[in-house]
Amino acid sequence: ERKMADLSVLAFSSIVGAVARSSVLAGYRQHPGLQQRLRDKCRVDLSFALHRGWAIEGAVGSDFKIDASYISPNVSVASSIEHATRKYGVRILVSQTVVELCSKEIVNKLRIIDKVTIKGSLVPLELSCLDLDFKRVQVEESADLPIVWNSRYRFKSRHAIEVRKHHLWNDTFSKAHVMKKDPHFQEMRTHYTVPFLQNFNMGYQNYSQGEWQVARNLLTKTHGMLSEKDGPSGALLRFMETPYQFKAPEWWRGVHALEDEF
């Protein structure tokens, strides 16, 4: 399970980077119709949630088309966490159930940003994000294939993918090492410096313990420390401000409902 947890974080971070670098998708951003409707906001944007739990798989459909469906409260929890990426302004959210399985090296790359109750979960869950500034990576120039694509090269390509997959699945191989050596991943992490993370962590601890005036000062600082406003800092500030005016209510124990508006 640890391998799967680490690989899932690695896979989603790779997808975020690949989408940002895609010359095909960058070309679509210049489409006149999309430019007219969305201006500079035209961008393919993906968000992901990672959560662990049981589910029942079943076939749903008709004689003409059958799809696999998964039924479980954990499916709803995962869906709720993915929807929350918009509230927190992040691309990847990881629940406590997955973080507990990740290796120490992967956990060190995650940032705890809140603790919430979610419909479908019996216990409150900490939410962590993987900080990635995908707008920092450069679009790759499209290049013609130096080969004529045929069944022979298709077989060689599939074989190379299988070799790569077995390599990553090896117990002795560090998934965090892949991230460390990936220049695109490192570029997306550039702005998330040690001072920024230290200030946010102090702000989050004060938020969790009910010292909201102190948390306000620290999170206001981190909110503006990056090239763009930090999403998790802004989310916590909004929650403390309305309707509480930065004064923790008597019932506060460091946990709130994910469904709360903020």
Side-chain angles (χ1 to χ4, degrees):
E1 288 187 327
R2 171 163 293 182
K3 285 189 297 185
M4 295 178 66
D6 285 358
L7 280 172
S8 60
V9 175
L10 172 61
F12 285 170
S13 66
S14 299
I15 292 170
V16 170
V19 168
R21 300 194 311 274
S22 171
S23 59
V24 175
L25 295 178
Y28 277 116
R29 292 204 291 270
Q30 307 305 317
H31 189 280
L34 294 176
Q35 282 289 315
Q36 184 177 2
R37 294 185 196 177
L38 304 174
R39 304 297 179 185
D40 59 345
K41 295 181 180 179
C42 176
R43 176 180 286 273
V44 174
D45 196 1
L46 300 179
S47 56
F48 302 93
L50 285 169
H51 178 67
R52 179 178 67 96
W54 64 270
I56 299 174
E57 181 183 13
V60 177
S62 65
D63 293 338
F64 301 98
K65 186 176 186 295
I66 298 178
D67 291 321
S69 179
Y70 297 89
I71 302 172
S72 168
N74 294 299
V75 176
S76 300
V77 171
S79 178
S80 297
I81 295 174
E82 189 280 325
H83 187 73
T85 57
R86 298 151 183 77
K87 288 186 176 182
Y88 294 103
V90 297
R91 297 296 167 268
I92 301 175
L93 271 180
V94 187
S95 83
Q96 183 178 344
T97 60
V98 175
V99 174
E100 290 171 349
L101 291 177
C102 289
S103 64
K104 182 179 179 181
E105 293 81 3
I106 295 293
V107 172
N108 289 339
K109 298 183 184 301
L110 302 175
R111 172 168 51 133
I112 300 175
I113 59 172
D114 213 348
K115 188 171 185 178
V116 295
T117 57
I118 306 175
K119 186 177 180 180
S121 176
L122 298 177
V123 296
L125 295 173
E126 286 183 343
L127 297 180
S128 300
C129 70
L130 179 63
D131 294 310
L132 298 172
D133 183 3
F134 62 91
K135 293 182 180 179
R136 284 190 59 87
V137 297
Q138 299 296 315
V139 175
E140 295 178 339
E141 294 183 4
S142 58
D144 296 330
L145 286 175
I147 60 173
V148 177
W149 192 249
N150 54 33
S151 58
R152 176 170 174 263
Y153 282 107
R154 187 176 293 110
F155 173 80
K156 291 181 68 175
S157 176
R158 289 177 178 173
H159 176 70
I161 291 173
E162 284 296 316
V163 171
R164 174 68 169 168
K165 183 174 71 173
H166 287 298
H167 182 57
L168 290 172
W169 196 250
N170 193 306
D171 288 332
T172 61
F173 187 76
S174 170
K175 284 65 179 178
H177 182 74
V178 178
M179 294 179 172
K180 184 177 180 180
K181 293 297 183 181
D182 184 350
H184 304 301
F185 180 81
Q186 294 302 321
E187 182 67 22
M188 291 189 288
R189 297 273 294 178
T190 301
H191 285 316
Y192 300 97
T193 60
V194 171
F196 167 79
L197 294 173
Q198 288 177 339
N199 276 280
F200 180 86
N201 289 337
M202 288 189 294
Y204 176 75
Q205 290 300 322
N206 283 279
Y207 156 81
S208 178
Q209 294 168 12
E211 299 291 337
W212 283 10
Q213 287 296 334
V214 179
R216 177 186 185 180
N217 295 333
L218 289 165
L219 294 175
T220 298
K221 180 180 179 180
T222 57
H223 193 217
M225 285 181 70
L226 308 177
S227 58
E228 295 186 356
K229 299 296 185 182
D230 179 51
S233 299
L236 298 185
L237 288 169
R238 290 193 301 273
F239 176 75
M240 291 187 289
E241 180 178 17
T242 306
Y244 306 109
Q245 298 303 310
F246 298 101
K247 184 178 180 180
E250 293 184 2
W251 53 263
W252 179 251
R253 297 295 183 273
V255 181
H256 68 95
L258 184 62
E259 294 79 13
D260 290 343
E261 292 295 329
F262 58 94

